[in-house]
Amino acid sequence: MRRTLYTLCCFALLMLLIPGMASARGIFEHQNISVPVGQTVDDVYVVGGNAEIFGQVTGVTVVVNGDLHLGRTADIKGLVVVIGGLVKQDQGAVLGDDIYNISLDTSTQNSLLIGGGIALGLWVLQLAASLLMVLIPILLRLAGKQKIAAFTDRYPLSSVRRLLVIGFLGTLILAALSALLLVTVIGIPVIILLLLMMVIALAFGSTVVSFRIGELFHGAGQMSDWMKVLVGAAILTAFVNIPFVGFILFVLLLMISIGICVQWIFRKRVKPLS
């Protein structure tokens, strides 16, 4: 099973390496082949077999899951690629380009498995985070009902600039506080608590931003509130997953969320005094 997987990977790599279709005088075989002395071919492609070349190859030579033997009379003008096999070159063989030999030994297989596992794990984490970015705002809107609706109504699109400023200042204060707490042992639990608060703030901030994005669409007046949040959260998540641009958008979303949280706390503390 593993060998089949590696063979498929080799086929994909082979397709990337081949500059074009094999010429009419090229060789494309699934068995052992030999190019005798005096014979000239354009390209040689062998999959699942060994290749012996004693003549001339003017183009590309590719061997997958097989060994390549270059005799002393061999004259290879183009690129030589051997995947999953060995290369034996006799003295006197002429090469016009480089040789690339990719061995599928145990260490290479383990490296491929580890690299593939890491890539798959990162993809699963990204998928899970994307689903949470869509589901959490919807669940908050459905669970909170009137309270979340009143909370969302306090922050229209016109307040985004003010929330960004408040969130930026709040982020600087949190970063400075975290740096000071890192030098103390007791500060580590406090930092974890601050991170948890940022996650909660991000959840509520995403709900507000998603709702406002959903309101921008034509026909939003006939949509329920949770549908607006769904549309907005799906669009927001799609843009966040864009490389580089998504990171900047996520930072802005985090600052808006912190700004909303800071402003909400400030109102709660000021209200009893008024």
Side-chain angles (χ1 to χ4, degrees):
M1 182 65 183
R2 292 176 60 182
R3 192 68 178 179
T4 303
L5 177 61
Y6 297 133
T7 303
L8 293 176
C9 294
C10 292
F11 271 120
L13 180 60
L14 178 62
M15 292 300 101
L16 293 176
L17 293 173
I18 296 176
M21 296 297 293
S23 61
R25 293 198 303 166
I27 298 176
F28 201 140
E29 294 288 347
H30 299 278
Q31 58 187 357
N32 297 339
I33 65 104
S34 178
V35 179
V37 178
Q39 182 178 355
T40 300
V41 296
D42 291 338
D43 305 292
V44 174
Y45 302 99
V46 181
V47 179
N50 300 323
E52 291 184 322
I53 299 178
F54 300 96
Q56 186 181 68
V57 179
T58 60
V60 180
T61 302
V62 179
V63 179
V64 178
N65 283 345
D67 299 331
L68 173 64
H69 176 208
L70 301 176
R72 61 182 182 84
T73 57
D75 184 5
I76 311 297
K77 303 294 184 182
L79 183 70
V80 176
V81 178
V82 178
I83 302 175
L86 301 176
V87 179
K88 180 181 178 182
Q89 180 181 349
D90 294 343
Q91 186 176 4
V94 178
L95 295 176
D97 210 330
D98 296 329
I99 295 180
Y100 296 93
N101 186 12
I102 303 174
S103 176
L104 295 180
D105 53 12
T106 303
S107 60
T108 304
Q109 294 177 11
N110 291 336
S111 299
L112 289 174
L113 288 175
I114 293 174
I118 293 175
L120 180 61
L122 292 176
W123 179 82
V124 171
L125 287 177
Q126 184 178 8
L127 178 61
S130 299
L131 291 176
L132 288 176
M133 283 191 65
V134 176
L135 291 177
I136 289 178
I138 297 175
L139 293 177
L140 284 176
R141 188 72 184 195
L142 291 174
K145 296 182 180 180
Q146 298 301 325
K147 290 185 178 181
I148 296 297
F151 177 80
T152 305
D153 292 337
R154 294 177 183 175
Y155 307 101
L157 288 176
S158 58
S159 64
V160 170
R161 182 178 299 180
R162 183 177 70 255
L163 293 174
L164 274 175
V165 174
I166 297 174
F168 177 73
L169 295 176
T171 302
L172 291 180
I173 295 174
L174 288 175
L177 182 61
S178 300
L180 292 175
L181 291 174
L182 278 176
V183 299
T184 62
V185 177
I186 196 174
I188 296 179
V190 178
I191 293 177
I192 296 176
L193 180 61
L194 290 176
L195 291 176
L196 180 60
M197 293 175 60
M198 290 179 63
V199 172
I200 296 174
L202 182 62
F204 283 95
S206 299
T207 304
V208 175
V209 174
S210 299
F211 180 78
R212 293 306 178 190
I213 293 176
E215 281 188 324
L216 297 176
F217 283 85
H218 179 72
Q222 287 73 38
M223 297 169 57
S224 58
D225 288 347
W226 74 269
M227 280 296 297
K228 296 177 184 178
V229 174
L230 172 60
V231 173
I235 295 174
L236 187 61
T237 302
F239 278 96
V240 167
N241 281 309
I242 299 176
F244 184 71
V245 176
F247 175 76
I248 297 176
L249 183 61
F250 180 79
V251 172
L252 294 176
L253 176 62
L254 180 60
M255 289 185 180
I256 292 175
S257 301
I258 293 176
I260 292 174
C261 183
V262 171
Q263 194 174 71
W264 179 79
I265 293 175
F266 180 78
R267 286 179 177 176
K268 286 291 184 181
R269 292 182 62 87
V270 173
K271 187 176 180 180
L273 300 177
S274 56

